[in-house]
Amino acid sequence: MPYLQKSKSVFFATLVNRKRHSYGISKNISHTCNSAPNFPLQKNHARYESEIHKSGSRFKPAARALVHLIRECGNSGWFLQGEHLHCHVLKSGYASDVYVSSAMILFYVKLEAISDARKVFVEVSEPSLVSWNTLISGYVRCKESTKALNLFIQLERSGLCADAYTFSAALSACGQLSLLHFGQSIHSKIVRHGVECSVVVGNSLIDMYGKCGCAQRSIRVFDGMMDKDRISWNSVIAANVRNKSLETAFAFLHEMPNPDTITHNELISGIAQFGEIEDAIDLLSKTPNPNSSSWNSIITWCVNRGKGDQALECFCKMHISGIRMDQFTFSSILSGTANVAGITWGRLIHCCTVKHGLDMSVVVGSALVDMYSKCGKVNRAEALFETLPTKNLVTWNAMISGYAHNSESHMVFRLFERMKMETDLHPDGITFLNILSACWDRRTPLEVARQYFESMVKQYGICPTAEHCSSMIRLMGREGEVDGGEKMIRDLGLDNCAMVWRALLGACVACGDIKVAEMAAKKVIGLEGESDFVYVVMSNAYASHRKWKEVKGMRMLMKERHVMKECGHSWIEV
């Protein structure tokens, strides 16, 4: 077909251009595409490499050899060599071969180059069911579940009959998106196609219903399965844990033949989220061969609930137990250290990351930048940031936030401009929250702050949150435009959010607008009830206008309603 021939030429040209960029080639591109890929020397490849080399461009390598080499590239993570093989596929005319094209799609899926996998799929005039399944599962693997379900619908319209693996991938996509009704419709199709007896499909149904909040349906599917494997048991336990049915999950644990570490980890994670930490630690002590995931759940629970000391205690026990720590262990404990600004512990944990060879990973590196920033060591954070070989959005936000929290507002704007120059990286709501915070610290004109806010909404499509609105209100209050703040609250539909009304109340006090302050105070009391914040702020506002009668009235109301001003406190590391 002319269209497919044209698409093939465009895709081939794209691959050749990549080779030119990757290898620094400016001439003799045909030689690059006709020669064999530069594989690491392994005996499994020797026979196939010599076969491809035999006659240069005049020899068409066997499809079986190509499939084997493509699979090896995917399994070993050799992206450039795999692309080089793709050139061979296109040059030798095997692009339409169902086995070769399926292998190429799987290669790109394994290396998470899902857009390239899609391009290969489109080039195949009549893709096999294996090709469809590979791309659908690839989208699920890359968390692009909507695209996976759209492709599933296209498959149904193509005339091919879906199999157990197709349904399993589609059910996983429904689970990721919590699309219960879509999942139920797929369940109906499974029954019509007669594949409900498949263990793989049954496990996927249990998982889907669990993620969609239907633990009872997960149990019904589990009970109806004639054959159950370990994944079946773990899936039904996970479904109940996810829906806070811990007693039922424990009942399945006691019934399960030979529960493994994964089984116990599911329960430890569930107890850590929804139960008592002591119970989770007790179960951990009874877990056969606990691994890093077992400990990570407990450490993360402690960090998320502000129990930094307990998190550090678990971290030490994990270290003494000889359990190998992974990047998620260090990321969690560094977050807990950052929250309490424990620089001594932070440095010790940094040393551990170096010993484990994880200090340069993007997950741990981002956590280190955040930890040093929150401990006031912004120069150390900056040095780490610049040396990280790979940075993601979390890394950039950690550094921008570090500058903002350490009152280096000029560096916030400078780094933000650098970030905008990065390809495939776009600021998110957290980025702009730090930008607006820097606008406050640097006393940036309100008009400039408005431009950043409008850019967030119009250019990047980010929906403003209560935090963004509160930041803008504070900036407006500094310039006496509290009426604009009230309008913004209503325009953004945040009338029932106490946070924004508290921000408006504070802004009114700053600019001396008693009338709007009284209205905001009523809103806060209506949404949050009696609190010392409103009375103290209003008392101070009246005092600033020398309205001593109103000040006295506020103090009397506090006394009558037993509202006490909370005592201030501070802490230091010793």
Side-chain angles (χ1 to χ4, degrees):
M1 296 181 189
Y3 169 75
L4 290 176
Q5 199 65 36
K6 181 179 178 182
S7 299
K8 185 187 294 183
S9 301
V10 172
F11 196 24
F12 175 71
T14 303
L15 286 172
V16 169
N17 287 335
R18 283 188 190 172
K19 293 291 172 296
R20 182 187 294 120
H21 177 73
S22 300
Y23 296 109
I25 295 172
S26 58
K27 297 180 181 179
N28 202 11
I29 295 299
S30 61
H31 171 73
T32 303
C33 290
N34 287 329
S35 61
N38 182 25
F39 287 98
L41 292 176
Q42 291 186 13
K43 62 181 182 180
N44 291 342
H45 298 138
R47 179 164 53 89
Y48 295 98
E49 289 189 48
S50 61
E51 190 176 341
I52 291 177
H53 267 301
K54 278 181 183 177
S55 302
S57 61
R58 297 185 301 279
F59 178 74
K60 290 180 69 174
R64 183 180 296 177
L66 282 171
V67 169
H68 176 85
L69 284 172
I70 292 165
R71 285 175 179 169
E72 285 297 313
C73 287
N75 294 335
S76 304
W78 298 333
F79 189 77
L80 291 178
Q81 289 88 342
E83 283 197 321
H84 204 163
L85 270 174
H86 196 172
C87 281
H88 277 285
V89 170
L90 295 170
K91 291 286 285 185
S92 57
Y94 279 114
S96 59
D97 184 280
V98 64
Y99 298 105
V100 174
S101 61
S102 296
M104 282 306 322
I105 293 169
L106 181 60
F107 161 74
Y108 284 120
V109 164
K110 281 187 174 181
L111 297 183
E112 298 187 358
I114 195 68
S115 58
D116 287 336
R118 172 72 183 183
K119 289 173 185 175
V120 176
F121 178 83
V122 169
E123 296 301 328
V124 183
S125 56
E126 293 184 5
S128 67
L129 183 60
V130 173
S131 300
W132 284 93
N133 287 349
T134 303
L135 189 57
I136 292 170
S137 62
Y139 278 130
V140 174
R141 180 175 177 173
C142 294
K143 308 298 182 185
E144 296 188 29
S145 300
T146 302
K147 291 181 180 179
L149 292 175
N150 286 334
L151 197 63
F152 173 74
I153 294 169
Q154 291 177 38
L155 169 62
E156 288 192 310
R157 294 171 180 169
S158 71
L160 285 175
C161 185
D163 64 4
Y165 295 101
T166 320
F167 289 125
S168 296
L171 287 168
S172 296
C174 291
Q176 288 181 5
L177 298 171
S178 297
L179 295 177
L180 176 60
H181 295 305
F182 203 139
Q184 287 175 319
S185 70
I186 294 174
H187 193 171
S188 300
K189 290 182 175 67
I190 287 168
V191 174
R192 287 203 301 272
H193 282 73
V195 293
E196 70 273 16
C197 294
S198 164
V199 176
V200 174
V201 172
N203 294 344
S204 299
L205 282 167
I206 293 170
D207 181 66
M208 183 274 294
Y209 281 124
K211 288 178 178 175
C212 291
C214 298
Q216 289 302 315
R217 292 188 183 184
S218 293
I219 295 171
R220 282 204 293 270
V221 172
F222 177 83
D223 289 339
M225 292 174 66
M226 290 184 291
D227 297 315
K228 302 179 181 74
D229 59 11
R230 187 167 291 180
I231 297 174
S232 311
W233 286 92
N234 286 341
S235 296
V236 76
I237 288 172
N240 282 280
V241 167
R242 193 174 286 116
N243 290 279
K244 304 181 183 181
S245 300
L246 298 181
E247 290 185 8
T248 307
F250 267 104
F252 278 110
L253 173 67
H254 297 315
E255 292 177 23
M256 180 179 177
N258 303 317
D260 57 9
T261 304
I262 296 173
T263 316
H264 286 84
N265 286 351
E266 289 286 357
L267 281 162
I268 290 169
S269 176
I271 296 169
Q273 289 181 65
F274 310 119
E276 296 296 330
I277 193 64
E278 290 76 15
D279 295 334
I281 294 172
D282 180 61
L283 182 59
L284 175 64
S285 66
K286 299 174 183 175
T287 301
N289 304 314
N291 55 22
S292 59
S293 297
S294 314
W295 288 89
N296 289 350
S297 297
I298 295 176
I299 292 172
T300 303
W301 180 93
C302 294
V303 170
N304 290 342
R305 301 201 185 183
K307 298 181 181 292
D309 292 342
Q310 207 165 357
L312 287 167
E313 185 181 337
C314 288
F315 177 80
C316 292
K317 288 180 180 178
M318 182 180 180
H319 178 72
I320 294 167
S321 300
I323 304 294
R324 181 161 182 82
M325 299 171 183
D326 58 22
Q327 58 181 346
F328 302 107
T329 313
F330 289 116
S331 175
S332 295
I333 196 63
L334 283 168
S335 176
T337 306
N339 291 339
V340 297
I343 186 62
T344 304
W345 271 106
R347 285 172 174 153
L348 288 171
I349 295 166
H350 188 179
C351 291
C352 289
T353 66
V354 175
K355 286 180 67 176
H356 284 74
L358 294 171
D359 56 313
M360 288 292 107
S361 85
V362 66
V363 174
V364 176
S366 302
L368 284 167
V369 169
D370 182 59
M371 182 274 293
Y372 278 116
S373 296
K374 288 180 177 175
C375 291
K377 306 296 181 182
V378 70
N379 291 336
R380 186 75 182 96
E382 185 179 47
L384 271 169
F385 175 82
E386 297 297 346
T387 56
L388 283 175
T390 306
K391 304 177 185 72
N392 60 14
L393 182 58
V394 176
T395 319
W396 285 87
N397 279 345
M399 193 67 253
I400 290 173
S401 176
Y403 285 133
H405 290 159
N406 287 277
S407 300
E408 295 195 22
S409 305
H410 64 289
M411 291 301 298
V412 171
F413 299 116
R414 188 179 300 177
L415 194 60
F416 178 65
E417 293 303 319
R418 267 183 63 189
M419 179 184 178
K420 290 198 295 184
M421 301 297 291
E422 294 287 316
T423 55
D424 300 326
L425 190 68
H426 301 291
D428 63 359
I430 295 172
T431 316
F432 279 101
L433 198 59
N434 285 307
I435 293 293
L436 295 175
S437 174
C439 288
W440 170 266
D441 289 336
R442 207 179 184 195
R443 302 192 69 84
T444 303
L446 179 59
E447 193 54 41
V448 175
R450 276 204 180 103
Q451 289 173 8
Y452 281 118
F453 187 82
E454 289 173 5
S455 169
M456 177 185 79
V457 177
K458 295 177 181 178
Q459 184 178 351
Y460 295 102
I462 299 168
C463 183
T465 64
E467 288 83 2
H468 295 116
C469 183
S470 298
S471 295
M472 284 301 298
I473 289 170
R474 281 191 287 270
L475 289 163
M476 291 175 183
R478 190 166 62 192
E479 298 197 15
E481 296 189 20
V482 288
D483 289 335
E486 184 183 354
K487 183 178 183 300
M488 176 179 279
I489 291 172
R490 302 196 188 281
D491 289 346
L492 295 176
L494 296 171
D495 298 63
N496 295 322
C497 177
M499 177 192 292
V500 293
W501 291 110
R502 286 166 71 100
L504 183 60
L505 177 56
C508 291
V509 173
C511 69
D513 193 322
I514 296 294
K515 183 179 178 182
V516 178
E518 290 174 339
M519 181 272 297
K522 289 178 182 177
K523 278 283 187 180
V524 174
I525 291 173
L527 292 167
E528 288 188 332
E530 306 287 349
S531 71
D532 64 316
F533 170 79
V534 176
Y535 291 102
V536 172
V537 169
M538 286 304 301
S539 176
N540 293 339
Y542 288 133
S544 66
H545 284 71
R546 306 181 71 82
K547 295 188 174 184
W548 307 117
K549 183 178 178 181
E550 285 79 1
V551 171
K552 184 179 179 181
M554 282 289 119
R555 300 291 181 183
M556 290 295 293
L557 276 173
M558 288 180 70
K559 189 174 181 179
E560 288 173 8
R561 298 176 184 180
H562 305 289
V563 177
M564 299 289 292
K565 181 180 177 181
E566 187 176 344
C567 295
H569 62 275
S570 60
W571 48 266
I572 59 171
E573 182 184 13
V574 294

